[in-house]
Amino acid sequence: MNRKTLCDSQTKGILGAMRCCPTSTLHLLRCLRLRSCTRRGKSRLPLWIRELWAYMSLLVQSLYFNSLTDSDVVFDSVFEPVFWTVDYVTRWFGTVFVCLVVILVSSIVGIAYMVLLPLILNTYSPVWIAWHVCYGHWNIVMIAFHYYKATKTSPGYPPTEKNDSPFVAVCKKCIMPKPARTHHCGICNRCILKMDHHCPWLNNCVGHFNHRYFFCFCLFMTLGCVYCSISGRNLFLDAYKALETNYQTSAPPYTFKDKMIHKSIIYMWVLTSTAGVALGALTLWHAVLISRGETSIERHINSKETKRMANRGKVYRNPYNYGSLNNWKVFFGVEKRSHWLTRVLLPSGHTPLCDGLKWDVFPVKKDLIPV
C-alpha cells in the first residue's frame, strides 16, 4: 500500500468519525492525521536538507513579515547567507593573517640584522651608525608593542547585566541596549564600544580600548617601511644591477651568498615600498577621521545625516567633534604635556580617558591642556 492509499484510507476513517464525534475530537483527529502524513513525507529527506529548507522558508517569509518592511530589510534577508559566509571566512582567516604579518615583519627584521646592519657598520660614519641603530630599534619596539596590544586588547563591550548606563538604541541582533557610538560586529557576533571596523590583520575588532594601538601600529609600521625604502634605495639599485648583469653574462661573477644577499635586498625594498604606500594611505585616512572626532562607521552615518539635514535646510554637526587638537588629546589620552612623550612616542598601556559608555555631546571650546 503506497503513501497516497494510506492517507486516503485514514481520511475516510476520519470522515466516518466526523458524523458521531464532537468538534474538539474532530480537530484532534485532523491534527494527528496531518502530522502522521507529514512525518512520513519528510522521513526520507536528510536532516541537513530539511534544515536548509526551513532556513530558506524563513528568509522568504521575512520579506513580507509586516508592513514596516523596507529595502534594507529585504536586502539583508536576501543576502544574509552571503554575509554569513563572508563573516565565517573572515573569522577563520584572521589567524592566518596574523601569522602572515608576523612572518613578513620577522623576515624584514632578519634581513636588516643579517644584511643591512653589517653594511651600515662598515660604510657609515659613527653619527649615522648611532642614528640608524637608535631609530631602527625604537621603531621595531613600537611596532611590536602596538601590534601585540591591538590583537590582545579587548575592544570593549557594553554590559550584559542591568545597569544605569544610558543607551540610545537596542541591538536588533543582540537584543541588548546599545550605548552611544556602539555598533554590532557580525564577525565577532557582539556589540563593540565605539566600533571602527573589524580588522582581519589583527583578528580582532578595532574599538574603544584598542583603537589607539591599531592607529599607532599603522603609523609606526608606515614609518618603518618608509625608513627601509629610503635608506635601502641605493642598495636596491646596486643589487638589481648586479643580478641583471649576472643574467646577461655567461660566467657568474657572484657567489651563491652574494646572490642571496642581492635578492634579500630586492625583496625587502619591494615589500616595504608597497606596504608603505598602502599603509600610508590607510594611516592618513584614519588620521583625518580622528581629527574630525569620528570613526569609520560614524563617517558613513554622519555623511548620510548631513545630507538629510541639508534637505531640510539645516546644518548637521558631529556631537563628538571637540576640535582637531582636543580630538587627538582624547584619542591618545593626553592629560598633560609630558604625556606626548610618555604616552605617544614611547610604549604605553594606559586606558582611554572615558569608559566608552558615556560621551560628552557638546563641543569643548577650551583646550584640555594649554599648548
Side-chain angles (χ1 to χ4, degrees):
M1 182 180 295
N2 53 22
R3 188 187 311 117
K4 182 178 180 180
T5 305
L6 180 61
C7 292
D8 292 341
S9 60
Q10 290 180 352
T11 304
K12 293 179 180 179
I14 293 176
L15 292 175
M18 290 175 60
R19 301 185 181 92
C20 56
C21 296
T23 305
S24 59
T25 307
L26 291 177
H27 181 70
L28 178 60
L29 291 175
R30 188 180 298 109
C31 292
L32 292 176
R33 181 248 179 188
L34 293 176
R35 291 186 60 183
S36 63
C37 294
T38 304
R39 288 179 179 177
R40 291 190 185 96
K42 291 185 178 180
S43 60
R44 295 183 180 181
L45 295 178
L47 178 61
W48 67 273
I49 295 180
R50 284 180 281 161
E51 291 180 349
L52 180 61
W53 177 257
Y55 181 71
M56 298 303 297
S57 301
L58 181 62
L59 289 181
V60 174
Q61 294 175 6
S62 65
L63 299 180
Y64 52 87
F65 181 72
N66 54 36
S67 59
L68 300 178
T69 300
D70 54 6
S71 59
D72 294 335
V73 175
V74 175
F75 181 83
D76 293 341
S77 301
V78 172
F79 287 92
E80 184 176 354
V82 179
F83 297 151
W84 180 87
T85 303
V86 172
D87 293 344
Y88 180 81
V89 172
T90 305
R91 189 184 306 115
W92 186 86
F93 270 96
T95 305
V96 178
F97 288 149
V98 171
C99 295
L100 184 61
V101 170
V102 173
I103 292 173
L104 293 178
V105 174
S106 300
S107 65
I108 299 300
V109 173
I111 293 174
Y113 272 105
M114 293 186 294
V115 178
L116 297 183
L117 187 59
L119 294 176
I120 291 174
L121 296 177
N122 294 329
T123 57
Y124 286 12
S125 63
V127 177
W128 278 108
I129 291 175
W131 155 253
H132 284 289
V133 171
C134 293
Y135 177 82
H137 286 85
W138 170 77
N139 205 337
I140 292 174
V141 170
M142 296 298 286
I143 291 174
F145 172 79
H146 288 103
Y147 185 73
Y148 175 81
K149 295 293 288 184
T151 55
K152 294 298 182 181
T153 302
S154 171
Y157 310 111
T160 57
E161 299 178 355
K162 185 178 179 180
N163 57 84
D164 297 332
S165 300
F167 62 93
V168 297
V170 176
C171 180
K172 295 183 293 185
K173 298 183 179 180
C174 295
I175 317 299
M176 294 293 295
K178 288 199 308 183
R181 314 186 78 176
T182 300
H183 303 280
H184 185 88
C185 176
I187 301 175
C188 297
N189 198 24
R190 62 187 310 178
C191 289
I192 307 296
L193 296 178
K194 192 194 164 189
M195 179 181 175
D196 188 89
H197 69 286
H198 184 95
C199 181
W201 298 100
L202 301 178
N203 195 24
N204 194 10
C205 258
V206 177
H208 178 63
F209 290 102
N210 64 346
H211 193 182
R212 177 176 66 89
Y213 298 130
F214 165 78
F215 176 79
C216 289
F217 164 72
C218 293
L219 175 62
F220 291 112
M221 179 65 80
T222 301
L223 294 178
C225 290
V226 173
Y227 165 73
C228 293
S229 180
I230 294 176
S231 61
R233 178 178 178 274
N234 294 330
L235 295 175
F236 164 75
L237 295 177
D238 295 339
Y240 182 78
K241 292 178 181 178
L243 290 179
E244 185 180 10
T245 303
N246 186 26
Y247 288 131
Q248 293 177 355
T249 57
S250 57
Y254 298 105
T255 62
F256 177 77
K257 181 179 179 180
D258 295 334
K259 293 181 180 179
M260 293 303 298
I261 291 176
H262 293 156
K263 291 181 179 180
S264 298
I265 293 175
I266 294 175
Y267 162 78
M268 181 202 69
W269 191 86
V270 172
L271 179 61
T272 55
S273 299
T274 53
V277 173
L279 273 176
L282 179 64
T283 304
L284 182 61
W285 166 247
H286 280 277
V288 173
L289 294 179
I290 295 170
S291 300
R292 295 175 177 176
E294 57 188 8
T295 62
S296 300
I297 298 178
E298 291 173 349
R299 173 61 178 170
H300 175 69
I301 297 175
N302 292 342
S303 178
K304 294 176 62 177
E305 192 67 15
T306 300
K307 295 179 180 179
R308 188 180 69 86
M309 297 293 288
N311 293 332
R312 298 184 177 183
K314 300 180 180 179
V315 178
Y316 174 77
R317 297 183 62 184
N318 180 17
Y320 309 112
N321 185 5
Y322 309 136
S324 298
L325 182 58
N326 282 328
N327 290 333
W328 283 103
K329 293 174 184 178
V330 172
F331 180 78
F332 283 120
V334 173
E335 299 178 282
K336 52 186 180 180
R337 292 188 176 183
S338 61
H339 287 169
W340 289 110
L341 174 64
T342 59
R343 293 188 174 185
V344 179
L345 299 180
L346 293 176
S348 177
H350 66 280
T351 58
L353 298 180
C354 62
D355 57 0
L357 300 175
K358 302 177 182 178
W359 297 90
D360 295 331
V361 295
F362 298 103
V364 179
K365 296 183 180 179
K366 185 179 179 181
D367 287 341
L368 299 178
I369 60 174
V371 177

